[in-house]
Amino acid sequence: MSRAISLDGVTKVYERGIRAVDRFSLDIEPGEFVVLLGPSGCGKSTVLRMIAGLESVTEGQLLLDGEDAAELAPGQRGMAMVFQNFALYPRMTNRDNIGFPLKLEARGDVGPRVDATARLLGIEDLLDRYPAQLSGGERQRVAIGRAISREPTAFLMDEPLSNIDAKLRNHLRAEVARLNRELAVTTVYVTHDQAEAMSLGDRIAVMRDGVLQQVGSPREAYALPKNIFVAAFIGTPRINLLEAVVHAPLPGRVTIDLGRQSLTLPEPLSPDHQMLRIQQGRPVIVGLRSEAVRIARPSLARARECAMSGIVEHVEYLGHEALLHLNTGSRAALVPALEGPRTDTAPGGHRKNKEGTVLGRLRDRAVARLPGFGPEERGDQGAVGVLEAPPVPAAPPQSAERAAIAGGDLVVRTGPDVQVRPGTHVPLLIDLEHLYVFDQQGRRVCPAPAHQPGLDG
Ligand code: ADP
């Protein structure tokens, strides 16, 4: 039997007022695979431990199959946990390690169950060895076996693969997904690795500073991030984030001023781009995934594409593709929560938020990549005539060395056979269907929040 797990406004405050989880609400269906994703310290393990009954819930309610779980001890919840540091009994064979929980529950002859579990995990040959005689990956399989053999009502997995080398990790990842499918047991899986989350979860719950940011299918989280944090946390290479100002004079075309260059949106505006008029005159952050930009001349632009250009700073050859690091003269916006350790908790348990808005923080940390590209040096570009001019080439970097340090403000994905060298000036076409705009609070305003085209989430 697989469990439904429901968290309703669940909060965890540790000693000294540390608010590890703040009003977290999520309904997990029986048999569903949900991944809790976020940077270290954002509260993922605390959520998992509350579900397991290893931590009390400070406020809010945890329901298991619709019943309040507050009074249920961990042993009564019928859940199995797998941790990063697999704890196997060193003096027991692997067979005994897997059978031990069953013996504790006095389930009679445990042999057939242990054998079935070992077959499922492909570890039949290892049963008579001791944990010390296994590789890390094999040990983790035994640990998973021990969790599975009890036929738990839910698997709670806390970074179970992070101690395993990369190649084996991919393999075990696929196995964890297969086990969830075959056993149809509700699985809650904690990771800070977005690629792991994307490949495993039916749904991903993205957390930041104890607060749930977004829940959705991997596809939805990638294609329609609710805010700048989710947009930046999910996807490799990371989404390009550029500081911009929206100009939407009436009458007149809507343009997105990126500093040196601007994007003139084609008429008639799509309903999503229509919404941008509300941002008239406001600073925003534009998000462009690396695949939303292609190298092509303006004359080749398709209906929903806009032209700009950039200077190649670095070509990152990856075998199956190449990433071009370009300088477009824009200001790259940084998301501090992703760049370094998280901010500390202020007295009283609330996290510091000195600057008030995401944009405020972004601006403080924003890097003017090259001299001459700062907003103070953009000049008066408020006039529509200037903005509607053909794409302005980015000013050449002052020196090659400087450019190398700067590293570019736009990463573009391209085929591996691309023939460009650093210093080359390349024309770019931006796919406007895949352009995101975030407001000063970091919320996505374009595509409009209600926009859900063709998504399964
Ligand atoms: P994650 O799993 O996302 O890395 P955790 O849930 O482990 O995050 O921790 C969330 C926050 O709660 C962190 O600030 C962490 O230091 C704090 N924390 C975790 N466990 C305890 C504890 N037992 N006592 C006090 N603070 C804790």
Side-chain angles (χ1 to χ4, degrees), residues 12-21 36-49 55 158-159 190-192 207 209-210 342-345 351:
K12 176 69 188 181
V13 183
Y14 284 115
E15 289 159 27
R16 287 181 288 122
I18 294 172
R19 190 172 279 266
V21 176
L36 303 179
L37 172 69
S40 178
C42 73
K44 309 177 292 293
S45 299
T46 301
V47 171
L48 202 72
R49 291 168 63 79
E55 294 288 355
D158 196 346
E159 307 252 7
V190 161
T191 183
H192 64 274
M207 293 181 69
D209 286 0
R342 64 191 233 152
T343 52
D344 226 341
T345 307
R351 304 198 186 285

Side-chain angles (χ1 to χ4, degrees), residues 248-329:
L250 270 176
R253 312 262 305 253
V254 174
T255 54
I256 299 174
D257 173 9
L258 291 167
R260 274 269 163 186
Q261 308 187 53
S262 58
L263 304 174
T264 303
L265 304 187
E267 302 275 359
L269 289 175
S270 69
D272 277 321
H273 294 147
Q274 198 71 328
M275 296 289 286
L276 279 179
R277 287 199 177 277
I278 300 167
Q279 303 297 325
Q280 151 62 18
R282 294 192 191 151
V284 292
I285 290 174
V286 163
L288 280 173
R289 296 235 182 248
S290 56
E291 64 273 20
V293 187
R294 64 185 181 112
I295 298 170
R297 273 189 277 282
S299 59
L300 297 174
R302 299 177 190 133
R304 313 291 314 163
E305 282 183 330
C306 240
M308 63 187 282
S309 66
I311 295 169
V312 178
E313 298 209 331
H314 173 59
V315 183
E316 198 179 334
Y317 177 69
L318 296 175
H320 63 294
E321 65 178 9
L323 300 177
L324 299 190
H325 296 249
L326 302 171
N327 176 9
T328 67

Side-chain angles (χ1 to χ4, degrees), residues 167-180:
K167 207 168 151 203
L168 191 61
R169 194 158 60 222
N170 285 343
H171 182 68
L172 281 177
R173 222 185 251 173
E175 286 206 0
V176 167
R178 178 178 63 84
L179 283 174
N180 168 264

Side-chain angles (χ1 to χ4, degrees), residues 425-438:
H425 196 162
V426 289
L428 304 170
L429 292 175
I430 311 289
D431 176 0
L432 294 172
E433 298 294 319
H434 292 99
L435 173 135
Y436 303 97
V437 179
F438 301 95

Side-chain angles (χ1 to χ4, degrees), residues 9-296:
V10 166
T11 294
K12 176 69 188 181
V13 183
Y14 284 115
E15 289 159 27
R16 287 181 288 122
I18 294 172
R19 190 172 279 266
V21 176
D22 196 359
R23 285 162 290 172
F24 185 102
S25 294
L26 179 64
D27 290 321
I28 303 172
E29 304 281 326
E32 196 180 11
F33 197 131
V34 169
V35 179
L36 303 179
L37 172 69
S40 178
C42 73
K44 309 177 292 293
S45 299
T46 301
V47 171
L48 202 72
R49 291 168 63 79
M50 285 191 285
I51 296 173
L54 300 173
E55 294 288 355
S56 62
V57 171
T58 312
E59 275 166 38
Q61 204 177 26
L62 171 71
L63 301 169
L64 300 177
D65 294 331
E67 307 271 333
D68 191 337
E71 301 303 320
L72 286 181
Q76 295 172 303
R77 300 189 184 197
M79 298 176 171
M81 239 178 140
V82 181
F83 297 97
Q84 177 176 349
N85 300 313
F86 20 90
L88 296 174
Y89 299 105
R91 288 176 211 283
M92 282 187 196
T93 61
N94 297 316
R95 179 186 298 284
D96 289 342
N97 261 294
I98 294 175
F100 189 65
L102 297 173
K103 283 195 180 136
L104 280 184
E105 293 174 12
R107 293 229 201 151
D109 182 11
V110 303
R113 187 100 275 281
V114 172
D115 287 334
T117 303
R119 267 199 305 281
L120 195 64
L121 290 163
I123 51 172
E124 299 103 308
D125 299 345
L126 308 177
L127 287 179
D128 295 319
R129 294 200 212 160
Y130 288 86
Q133 296 170 311
L134 304 183
S135 71
E138 289 168 339
R139 271 205 293 270
Q140 192 62 326
R141 261 181 234 217
V142 174
I144 292 173
R146 195 167 65 182
I148 290 171
S149 68
R150 284 175 54 207
E151 298 179 313
T153 56
F155 287 130
L156 307 178
M157 301 194 165
D158 196 346
E159 307 252 7
L161 307 182
S162 30
N163 279 351
I164 293 170
D165 69 73
K167 207 168 151 203
L168 191 61
R169 194 158 60 222
N170 285 343
H171 182 68
L172 281 177
R173 222 185 251 173
E175 286 206 0
V176 167
R178 178 178 63 84
L179 283 174
N180 168 264
R181 269 197 313 277
E182 285 185 12
L183 303 172
V185 174
T186 315
T187 306
V188 187
Y189 188 106
V190 161
T191 183
H192 64 274
D193 178 343
Q194 59 88 26
E196 190 157 285
M198 295 290 274
S199 72
L200 281 175
D202 294 327
R203 283 190 299 160
I204 300 179
V206 186
M207 293 181 69
R208 177 192 184 186
D209 286 0
V211 178
L212 185 60
Q213 305 289 306
Q214 181 165 359
V215 188
S217 67
R219 196 171 160 211
E220 189 179 3
Y222 184 82
L224 288 172
K226 277 195 178 162
N227 60 38
I228 204 165
F229 176 80
V230 176
F233 201 79
I234 292 180
T236 322
R238 187 185 294 178
I239 191 169
N240 297 290
L241 294 171
L242 305 174
E243 293 194 0
V245 178
V246 173
H247 292 284
L250 270 176
R253 312 262 305 253
V254 174
T255 54
I256 299 174
D257 173 9
L258 291 167
R260 274 269 163 186
Q261 308 187 53
S262 58
L263 304 174
T264 303
L265 304 187
E267 302 275 359
L269 289 175
S270 69
D272 277 321
H273 294 147
Q274 198 71 328
M275 296 289 286
L276 279 179
R277 287 199 177 277
I278 300 167
Q279 303 297 325
Q280 151 62 18
R282 294 192 191 151
V284 292
I285 290 174
V286 163
L288 280 173
R289 296 235 182 248
S290 56
E291 64 273 20
V293 187
R294 64 185 181 112
I295 298 170

